[in-house]
Structures are given as C-alpha cells and as structure tokens.
Amino acid sequence: VKKFYNFASRSDLAIYFDIDPKTSLERICFNITPNFYEAGMDLNLSNDPYESYMIFQGRVIDEYKKMVDEFGLVQLNAMDSIHSKQVKIREMLRKVLLEKGIEV
C-alpha cells in the first residue's frame, strides 16, 4: 500500500530564524571557509567563497521572507537570546498542542 503525502500543505508550526547574511557568515564560518554549496559557489555568484556566501544567503533569506504569508512561516529574530527564542517557541508549540486538545 502506497501512501501519498501532500508536501505543500501548511504545517502546524513552521519557524525560520531571520538573520542578516553578514552575521550568519560570522556565526557559521567562525573559523572555517564556507563549503562549496553553503556558499552558493555552484551558482557562480563570485569566485570568493565569502562574497558568494553573502550573496547566496541574502537570496535565501529573501525567499524565506516571501514565504512568510504564503506558507504561514513564523519569523523569529536570530539575534534574540537563546533563552528568548526558546520561550517563544515553547509558547507557540503549547498553543498548537492546546488547539489539538493536548495539554502540556
């Protein structure tokens, strides 16, 4: 029996962390060069992996921003503290579970 899934359906909770490309580069590539695909080098944006990373990640972030309304993504500021993000995510998850009749 095959099961078919609708991957385009809206999830109960879809979160993405909004961050500028420069800060992302500083965090992800603190002591290493971004890898080939992470930097978008396959797109020939620049011969410099750091510059390519900035351009590519900027494009990725722009696409996520476009999907906020269409797919109901929840945008969280990646610059917030880990604790603050954790509190926000737990509260959103608690709300989703309560809507399904699950108390936590």
Side-chain angles (χ1 to χ4, degrees):
V1 175
K2 285 187 177 182
K3 289 186 178 182
F4 294 95
Y5 298 95
N6 182 358
F7 292 107
S9 66
R10 197 176 278 234
S11 68
D12 292 327
L13 183 59
I15 299 170
Y16 91 94
F17 294 100
D18 189 28
I19 190 167
D20 65 279
K22 183 178 184 291
T23 304
S24 174
L25 177 67
E26 291 168 356
R27 288 182 178 182
I28 300 296
C29 304
F30 176 70
N31 59 358
I32 59 169
T33 304
N35 76 39
F36 186 80
Y37 294 105
E38 191 173 53
M41 297 296 290
D42 55 322
L43 300 175
N44 295 316
L45 302 173
S46 172
N47 290 329
D48 177 358
Y50 295 100
E51 183 179 349
S52 185
Y53 181 94
M54 297 281 288
I55 296 167
F56 178 62
Q57 293 301 322
R59 289 181 180 183
V60 170
I61 291 164
D62 288 343
E63 290 303 313
Y64 272 109
K65 288 179 180 182
K66 290 178 188 176
M67 294 189 303
V68 167
D69 292 329
E70 183 179 353
F71 296 102
L73 296 182
V74 177
Q75 180 179 359
L76 291 181
N77 186 345
M79 301 303 290
D80 288 348
S81 70
I82 293 171
H83 176 74
S84 172
K85 289 182 278 200
Q86 191 64 226
V87 168
K88 289 175 186 175
I89 292 170
R90 287 174 188 247
E91 185 55 40
M92 288 184 284
L93 184 56
R94 184 176 290 112
K95 182 180 175 186
V96 168
L97 292 173
L98 282 173
E99 289 172 358
K100 295 183 173 297
I102 302 168
E103 289 191 43
V104 288

